[in-house]
Amino acid sequence: MLTAVLASKLLRQILVDYNYWPESESDSPLKIARSKTVLTDTAILGRDANMRRAAVRETDPDARSYKAPDRTIQCKTLDETFKPLAIQALLEVQTAAQDVSSAMAELETLERPIEKSEFLVQLYSAFKQLTNPKVCYVADASDPYTGFFITGETSDGEMIVAQTLLVQT
């Protein structure tokens, strides 16, 4: 089991080469944070609202009165989240490999799908070393933004959070 310092360092190293969550329609880089308290639904909704507020301000700096919509939290296990994404990434590797072997593409076309596969497997493995890992999606049907959180508890009792705001239309 990892301490908070080691888990944060490991996760940040994983995110250096590739940091694009595959379920988003735009760049949605994960940010790693630590918390000394367990993330309740209220805390997750608060983090989600802050990310939404920041995203709205990027497009409209005068949007000071932004209020997050009514949202629901759906939590999944690491396996429920990562396995389908890893399978899809491996299919992308196979497709790219077939293109390379048939001379339809250069060897470099394998780079992105392999990086994506490696990213998913390493992220999964890192969070699997933590206690009570879970993935939470915070969504509202009328909003294109979905808050995304991967959490787990370290051996020294801190929470590690990887979070981003996905765009899903």
PDB file of all heavy atoms in Angstrom, residues 95-110:
ATOM      1  N   THR A  95      -5.568  -2.322 -34.519  1.00  0.00           N
ATOM      2  CA  THR A  95      -5.907  -1.689 -35.791  1.00  0.00           C
ATOM      3  C   THR A  95      -4.699  -0.948 -36.360  1.00  0.00           C
ATOM      4  O   THR A  95      -4.387  -1.069 -37.550  1.00  0.00           O
ATOM      5  CB  THR A  95      -7.098  -0.722 -35.619  1.00  0.00           C
ATOM      6  OG1 THR A  95      -8.217  -1.460 -35.134  1.00  0.00           O
ATOM      7  CG2 THR A  95      -7.451  -0.038 -36.920  1.00  0.00           C
ATOM      8  N   ALA A  96      -4.022  -0.199 -35.509  1.00  0.00           N
ATOM      9  CA  ALA A  96      -2.839   0.530 -35.958  1.00  0.00           C
ATOM     10  C   ALA A  96      -1.746  -0.439 -36.395  1.00  0.00           C
ATOM     11  O   ALA A  96      -1.063  -0.208 -37.405  1.00  0.00           O
ATOM     12  CB  ALA A  96      -2.331   1.456 -34.854  1.00  0.00           C
ATOM     13  N   ALA A  97      -1.591  -1.543 -35.668  1.00  0.00           N
ATOM     14  CA  ALA A  97      -0.574  -2.542 -36.028  1.00  0.00           C
ATOM     15  C   ALA A  97      -0.892  -3.171 -37.378  1.00  0.00           C
ATOM     16  O   ALA A  97       0.012  -3.417 -38.193  1.00  0.00           O
ATOM     17  CB  ALA A  97      -0.477  -3.606 -34.940  1.00  0.00           C
ATOM     18  N   GLN A  98      -2.169  -3.438 -37.632  1.00  0.00           N
ATOM     19  CA  GLN A  98      -2.559  -3.990 -38.937  1.00  0.00           C
ATOM     20  C   GLN A  98      -2.273  -2.996 -40.049  1.00  0.00           C
ATOM     21  O   GLN A  98      -1.810  -3.373 -41.125  1.00  0.00           O
ATOM     22  CB  GLN A  98      -4.038  -4.373 -38.927  1.00  0.00           C
ATOM     23  CG  GLN A  98      -4.327  -5.594 -38.095  1.00  0.00           C
ATOM     24  CD  GLN A  98      -5.817  -5.854 -37.923  1.00  0.00           C
ATOM     25  OE1 GLN A  98      -6.650  -5.038 -38.289  1.00  0.00           O
ATOM     26  NE2 GLN A  98      -6.148  -7.008 -37.354  1.00  0.00           N
ATOM     27  N   ASP A  99      -2.526  -1.711 -39.801  1.00  0.00           N
ATOM     28  CA  ASP A  99      -2.237  -0.682 -40.798  1.00  0.00           C
ATOM     29  C   ASP A  99      -0.741  -0.614 -41.093  1.00  0.00           C
ATOM     30  O   ASP A  99      -0.330  -0.484 -42.246  1.00  0.00           O
ATOM     31  CB  ASP A  99      -2.735   0.688 -40.338  1.00  0.00           C
ATOM     32  CG  ASP A  99      -4.260   0.799 -40.350  1.00  0.00           C
ATOM     33  OD1 ASP A  99      -4.924  -0.084 -40.950  1.00  0.00           O
ATOM     34  OD2 ASP A  99      -4.769   1.778 -39.757  1.00  0.00           O
ATOM     35  N   VAL A 100       0.072  -0.709 -40.042  1.00  0.00           N
ATOM     36  CA  VAL A 100       1.520  -0.672 -40.215  1.00  0.00           C
ATOM     37  C   VAL A 100       1.989  -1.901 -40.989  1.00  0.00           C
ATOM     38  O   VAL A 100       2.796  -1.796 -41.914  1.00  0.00           O
ATOM     39  CB  VAL A 100       2.247  -0.561 -38.854  1.00  0.00           C
ATOM     40  CG1 VAL A 100       3.736  -0.811 -38.995  1.00  0.00           C
ATOM     41  CG2 VAL A 100       1.986   0.800 -38.231  1.00  0.00           C
ATOM     42  N   SER A 101       1.452  -3.071 -40.636  1.00  0.00           N
ATOM     43  CA  SER A 101       1.904  -4.304 -41.297  1.00  0.00           C
ATOM     44  C   SER A 101       1.460  -4.368 -42.754  1.00  0.00           C
ATOM     45  O   SER A 101       2.102  -5.013 -43.572  1.00  0.00           O
ATOM     46  CB  SER A 101       1.419  -5.539 -40.535  1.00  0.00           C
ATOM     47  OG  SER A 101       0.014  -5.671 -40.647  1.00  0.00           O
ATOM     48  N   SER A 102       0.382  -3.683 -43.096  1.00  0.00           N
ATOM     49  CA  SER A 102      -0.076  -3.681 -44.487  1.00  0.00           C
ATOM     50  C   SER A 102       0.483  -2.489 -45.257  1.00  0.00           C
ATOM     51  O   SER A 102       0.054  -2.228 -46.372  1.00  0.00           O
ATOM     52  CB  SER A 102      -1.607  -3.672 -44.532  1.00  0.00           C
ATOM     53  OG  SER A 102      -2.094  -2.440 -44.031  1.00  0.00           O
ATOM     54  N   ALA A 103       1.418  -1.781 -44.661  1.00  0.00           N
ATOM     55  CA  ALA A 103       2.091  -0.625 -45.269  1.00  0.00           C
ATOM     56  C   ALA A 103       1.146   0.539 -45.534  1.00  0.00           C
ATOM     57  O   ALA A 103       1.436   1.412 -46.335  1.00  0.00           O
ATOM     58  CB  ALA A 103       2.819  -1.034 -46.549  1.00  0.00           C
ATOM     59  N   MET A 104       0.011   0.562 -44.840  1.00  0.00           N
ATOM     60  CA  MET A 104      -0.921   1.684 -44.983  1.00  0.00           C
ATOM     61  C   MET A 104      -0.525   2.842 -44.067  1.00  0.00           C
ATOM     62  O   MET A 104      -1.039   3.945 -44.203  1.00  0.00           O
ATOM     63  CB  MET A 104      -2.354   1.245 -44.665  1.00  0.00           C
ATOM     64  CG  MET A 104      -2.944   0.300 -45.698  1.00  0.00           C
ATOM     65  SD  MET A 104      -4.575  -0.323 -45.244  1.00  0.00           S
ATOM     66  CE  MET A 104      -5.477   1.145 -44.875  1.00  0.00           C
ATOM     67  N   ALA A 105       0.353   2.569 -43.100  1.00  0.00           N
ATOM     68  CA  ALA A 105       0.736   3.609 -42.148  1.00  0.00           C
ATOM     69  C   ALA A 105       2.180   3.392 -41.706  1.00  0.00           C
ATOM     70  O   ALA A 105       2.735   2.306 -41.857  1.00  0.00           O
ATOM     71  CB  ALA A 105      -0.197   3.576 -40.940  1.00  0.00           C
ATOM     72  N   GLU A 106       2.746   4.424 -41.136  1.00  0.00           N
ATOM     73  CA  GLU A 106       4.107   4.355 -40.610  1.00  0.00           C
ATOM     74  C   GLU A 106       4.083   3.803 -39.186  1.00  0.00           C
ATOM     75  O   GLU A 106       3.051   3.835 -38.509  1.00  0.00           O
ATOM     76  CB  GLU A 106       4.734   5.749 -40.615  1.00  0.00           C
ATOM     77  CG  GLU A 106       4.879   6.357 -41.999  1.00  0.00           C
ATOM     78  CD  GLU A 106       5.816   5.554 -42.896  1.00  0.00           C
ATOM     79  OE1 GLU A 106       6.854   5.078 -42.391  1.00  0.00           O
ATOM     80  OE2 GLU A 106       5.486   5.393 -44.078  1.00  0.00           O
ATOM     81  N   LEU A 107       5.206   3.359 -38.736  1.00  0.00           N
ATOM     82  CA  LEU A 107       5.335   2.782 -37.400  1.00  0.00           C
ATOM     83  C   LEU A 107       4.911   3.761 -36.305  1.00  0.00           C
ATOM     84  O   LEU A 107       4.380   3.373 -35.268  1.00  0.00           O
ATOM     85  CB  LEU A 107       6.780   2.328 -37.180  1.00  0.00           C
ATOM     86  CG  LEU A 107       7.061   1.447 -35.972  1.00  0.00           C
ATOM     87  CD1 LEU A 107       6.192   0.196 -35.983  1.00  0.00           C
ATOM     88  CD2 LEU A 107       8.519   1.063 -35.927  1.00  0.00           C
ATOM     89  N   GLU A 108       5.082   5.058 -36.553  1.00  0.00           N
ATOM     90  CA  GLU A 108       4.727   6.072 -35.563  1.00  0.00           C
ATOM     91  C   GLU A 108       3.235   6.066 -35.223  1.00  0.00           C
ATOM     92  O   GLU A 108       2.830   6.569 -34.176  1.00  0.00           O
ATOM     93  CB  GLU A 108       5.116   7.473 -36.043  1.00  0.00           C
ATOM     94  CG  GLU A 108       6.599   7.710 -36.097  1.00  0.00           C
ATOM     95  CD  GLU A 108       7.244   7.242 -37.409  1.00  0.00           C
ATOM     96  OE1 GLU A 108       6.516   6.847 -38.347  1.00  0.00           O
ATOM     97  OE2 GLU A 108       8.470   7.254 -37.478  1.00  0.00           O
ATOM     98  N   THR A 109       2.413   5.505 -36.114  1.00  0.00           N
ATOM     99  CA  THR A 109       0.969   5.481 -35.842  1.00  0.00           C
ATOM    100  C   THR A 109       0.631   4.612 -34.636  1.00  0.00           C
ATOM    101  O   THR A 109      -0.466   4.718 -34.095  1.00  0.00           O
ATOM    102  CB  THR A 109       0.161   4.992 -37.065  1.00  0.00           C
ATOM    103  OG1 THR A 109       0.578   3.675 -37.406  1.00  0.00           O
ATOM    104  CG2 THR A 109       0.328   5.918 -38.244  1.00  0.00           C
ATOM    105  N   LEU A 110       1.573   3.773 -34.220  1.00  0.00           N
ATOM    106  CA  LEU A 110       1.354   2.948 -33.030  1.00  0.00           C
ATOM    107  C   LEU A 110       1.555   3.733 -31.732  1.00  0.00           C
ATOM    108  O   LEU A 110       1.091   3.319 -30.680  1.00  0.00           O
ATOM    109  CB  LEU A 110       2.311   1.756 -33.028  1.00  0.00           C
ATOM    110  CG  LEU A 110       2.002   0.633 -33.997  1.00  0.00           C
ATOM    111  CD1 LEU A 110       3.164  -0.335 -34.086  1.00  0.00           C
ATOM    112  CD2 LEU A 110       0.740  -0.079 -33.563  1.00  0.00           C
TER     113      LEU A 110
END
